[in-house]
Amino acid sequence: MDSISLKDKVAVITGASRGLGRAMALEFGRLGAFTIVNYVREEKGAQQTLDMLREAGGDGAIAMADVRKADEVNAMFSHIFKTYKKVDVLVNNAGITRDEYFMMMRPQSWLELMDVHLNGVFYCSKAVIRNMCAARKGVILNIGSGSALVAMPGQVNYSASKAGLLGFSRSLAREVAGKGVRVIHVAPGFFESDMTVTLDPEFIKETFEVTPLGRWGSGVEMAAVATFLASDDCSFFTGHSIVVDGGRGAVEAEYGS
Ligand code: NAP
């Protein structure tokens, strides 16, 4: 028997058509949560996630919304609340990169990152927070990045948006803790996905050399952490950032301090 159960919970995972979002959706579903797979472009990918989730014995639904657009986010959540009555867990996972050195960075590449990683999280969290507080339970997991914590050239926009998400998570956690709602920032290191597959092989090699576990993380490893954080077994944990990076940040911290 699994020690963790998400039975009877409704979970919404943004950006679950592929990558870490898909891996988390599959594990949420496997552990019993009715899992809503959000996507913006890849309807086929979202449907595949749902099919895989159902094949593994879980259940859920797909839901389109561009997290940058308040009207689409509100329409998605109003349908979810009308149909499924509640949201127990929101995983703000949708993410993008627009890596450019700062000298060359286009304003558009800055704004897009803020839009998805900060405005998107704002709209989605606003859409669930009153309901969670009224229910006196709920968990918001914000998927940040190790790039918020260590210096990453070419990622000023990405690092700034994910560091902003860390501040967002801490402050909101403090505001709503008294209402039984937990807010947690999760900072993944390097995981194999569409987001990282295009990285320079030399950079990947160097990254593995400074990562004590010496490899990528897998979606399954990320999902194991996320489901534990979202579960009632983790009920005394809020307001913190948990780093899931094979130890890489610990090495950087040694040099930095
Ligand atoms: P990925 O494979 O590129 O998948 C990105 C997901 O985000 C897709 O499902 C995509 O939906 C969705 N998305 C993008 N823009 C969206 C929008 N405006 N509205 C709704 N959904 C949107 O990325 P990943 O590697 O799984 O990353 C997932 C999260 O982990 C991101 O927040 C990322 O910053 C973070 N992270 C990843 C790594 C890593 O090494 N992979 C490391 C640190 C942090 P569509 O398919 O519909 O386009």
Side-chain angles (χ1 to χ4, degrees):
M1 201 178 83
D2 283 311
S3 57
I4 295 173
S5 173
L6 299 175
K7 202 167 166 294
D8 300 325
K9 292 192 189 297
V10 174
V12 179
I13 303 180
T14 67
S17 50
R18 50 201 165 96
L20 298 182
R22 169 179 284 176
M24 288 189 279
L26 295 180
E27 190 61 1
F28 272 82
R30 192 183 75 81
L31 294 175
F34 186 90
T35 303
I36 295 160
V37 175
N38 160 261
Y39 67 98
V40 60
R41 281 167 295 265
E42 298 285 337
E43 182 177 0
K44 214 167 144 195
Q47 189 58 50
Q48 270 171 6
T49 303
L50 183 60
D51 291 346
M52 291 163 79
L53 192 157
R54 285 185 171 148
E55 273 161 34
D59 200 9
I62 64 169
M64 197 289 294
D66 184 334
V67 298
R68 298 170 301 178
K69 298 183 177 155
D71 54 342
E72 290 188 16
V73 168
N74 291 336
M76 176 177 77
F77 280 103
S78 109
H79 173 74
I80 290 169
F81 281 117
K82 204 168 148 205
T83 315
Y84 310 109
K85 311 297 176 211
K86 61 174 187 164
V87 173
D88 298 290
V89 183
L90 166 66
V91 184
N92 284 310
N93 166 76
I96 58 169
T97 49
R98 296 286 182 271
D99 294 357
E100 286 164 12
Y101 285 108
F102 186 66
M103 297 275 196
M104 270 83 80
M105 189 172 284
R106 294 159 299 152
Q108 181 69 11
S109 305
W110 171 265
L111 293 171
E112 276 181 325
L113 272 278
M114 300 306 147
D115 225 3
V116 176
H117 297 157
L118 290 174
N119 296 345
V121 171
F122 174 81
Y123 297 138
C124 292
S125 304
K126 279 285 270 190
V128 301
I129 200 74
R130 281 178 188 275
N131 191 283
M132 284 182 173
C133 287
R136 302 199 72 82
K137 64 186 167 93
V139 181
I140 297 178
L141 295 185
N142 290 326
I143 308 304
S145 171
S147 297
L149 310 170
V150 299
M152 291 303 291
Q155 287 205 315
V156 165
N157 52 357
Y158 187 80
S159 304
S161 65
K162 294 295 194 179
L165 188 55
L166 175 59
F168 174 102
S169 307
R170 283 182 178 154
S171 295
L172 182 58
R174 193 163 178 190
E175 278 189 31
V176 297
K179 300 275 195 295
V181 178
R182 299 187 290 118
V183 185
I184 298 161
H185 179 267
V186 185
F190 280 89
F191 284 78
E192 200 164 14
S193 76
D194 289 353
M195 186 174 276
T196 48
V197 81
T198 52
L199 290 172
D200 175 17
E202 193 52 36
F203 173 75
I204 294 172
K205 189 170 154 272
E206 283 167 15
T207 301
F208 289 173
E209 279 165 11
V210 293
T211 301
L213 289 181
R215 59 172 175 84
W216 303 102
S218 73
V220 170
E221 289 171 314
M222 178 68 186
V225 174
T227 46
F228 173 63
L229 293 172
S231 74
D232 296 339
D233 296 275
C234 197
S235 49
F236 198 50
F237 191 96
T238 192
H240 285 291
S241 181
I242 186 154
V243 184
V244 190
D245 69 347
R248 178 162 180 266
V251 173
E252 300 273 349
E254 273 171 30
Y255 289 122
S257 56

